[in-house]
Amino acid sequence: MKTYTITVNGNTYDVVVEEGASSGVAVAAPVAAPVAAPKAAPVAAPKAAPAPVASGAKGGVKVESPMPGKILKVNVSAGQAVKKGDVVFVLEAMKMENDIVAPQDGTIASVDVSVNSSVDTGDVLATLN
């Protein structure tokens, strides 16, 4: 008999394997419970909503990339008015297209990326007032 430690989906199990006498095939004996409690994955704290800025301040609210990827489309330009939920960028990540939307009503103060730009999580794509 041999004992192995196996991790499946974050749970660790001890498995005892004994060889079958006639077939030569290994057979795993079931184990009732995990060996150790799985480690909890770190949970990121939610980001606070951006605070509104006084009229006339340049670029008060940042539109940030939620994940690394490549910008496929830029649907806005500086000075353009947007409503909360309007698609301002299309980001390709892991061969999927993701809509990046305006977090609130406002006017685009600056567009900080262009088509085919590579971005990382948290990179500022645009700012709006």
Side-chain angles (χ1 to χ4, degrees), residues 63-67 69-78 88-92 100 108-127:
V63 179
E64 297 178 347
S65 176
M67 65 192 84
K70 180 174 84 171
I71 301 296
L72 292 182
K73 293 180 187 173
V74 177
N75 296 334
V76 293
S77 58
V88 291
F89 299 97
V90 177
L91 174 72
E92 179 186 40
I100 309 301
I108 300 295
S110 68
V111 176
D112 301 318
V113 294
S114 59
V115 173
N116 292 325
S117 296
S118 292
V119 295
D120 287 323
T121 303
D123 284 357
V124 176
L125 307 178
T127 53

